[in-house]
Amino acid sequence: MALLCDMRVVEESAIMGVFCRRFGVPLVDGGTVKLPALIGLSRAMDLVATGRPVTSKEALDIGLANRVVPDGKALEAAIDLATQLTKFPQKCMLADRKSAYHAVFDSASFKEAMRFEHHNAAKVIGAESIPGAVRFVNGIGRGGSFKEFQE
């Protein structure tokens, strides 16, 4: 289920794994598709074949988790992350998300993925990129500041 999410926030005591392996239940929920795309084929095969548990630290190290937070704080951290994402220009963020998924799961080649990204991004430039560039030129976000996105 966690593999269906774009990002995964886990608590320090979290244990992840492909536990259906232990009971003879094959992956039928996209696990053999999404897991290798997220963490690489070799690591995915280790988890799929062995069904071994993965700690939060290892999950973060291999790219299975994006954030590790103290126990009892995962929901709060996930909501904070989601809230922060809502403050970004949405058309741009969604276009980039669509291009990334296309590149990984639908594109036949690097060249085709680049064409898709360019075409997909072109729809956003007038609506969000030009106004965003004007804001940057006027000093907003300079030096990597996220201040205006955290309020």
Side-chain angles (χ1 to χ4, degrees):
M1 183 73 82
L3 295 179
L4 297 175
C5 301
D6 290 338
M7 292 180 269
R8 287 150 304 284
V9 177
V10 301
E11 296 181 354
E12 290 172 341
S13 66
I15 301 293
M16 302 174 84
V18 183
F19 300 125
C20 60
R21 173 62 51 242
R22 300 171 183 186
F23 306 101
V25 178
L27 290 165
V28 295
D29 59 356
T32 61
V33 176
K34 195 91 189 253
L35 190 61
L38 289 173
I39 67 172
L41 180 60
S42 180
R43 288 180 171 141
M45 288 308 302
D46 175 21
L47 301 184
V48 169
T50 66
R52 70 179 179 80
V54 176
T55 65
S56 62
K57 182 188 178 325
E58 182 182 3
L60 183 65
D61 290 346
I62 67 174
L64 186 56
N66 300 90
R67 311 270 194 291
V68 176
V69 298
D71 289 343
K73 298 292 185 181
L75 180 59
E76 178 183 342
I79 291 171
D80 287 348
L81 176 59
T83 300
Q84 181 182 3
L85 294 178
T86 66
K87 294 179 182 180
F88 291 133
Q90 294 298 293
K91 290 176 184 173
C92 177
M93 186 177 64
L94 293 173
D96 288 344
R97 179 185 185 274
K98 183 176 182 178
S99 292
Y101 272 90
H102 178 83
V104 171
F105 294 109
D106 297 325
S107 182
S109 69
F110 176 80
K111 189 174 181 179
E112 191 279 327
M114 291 296 291
R115 267 195 298 264
F116 182 91
E117 179 185 68
H118 180 75
H119 175 74
N120 194 39
K123 303 171 190 175
V124 176
I125 291 174
E128 292 180 347
S129 302
I130 293 172
V134 169
R135 290 176 59 216
F136 182 77
V137 166
N138 290 328
I140 296 175
R142 290 286 173 97
S145 171
F146 270 73
K147 184 175 138 186
E148 60 278 351
F149 297 108
Q150 295 172 340
E151 298 169 350

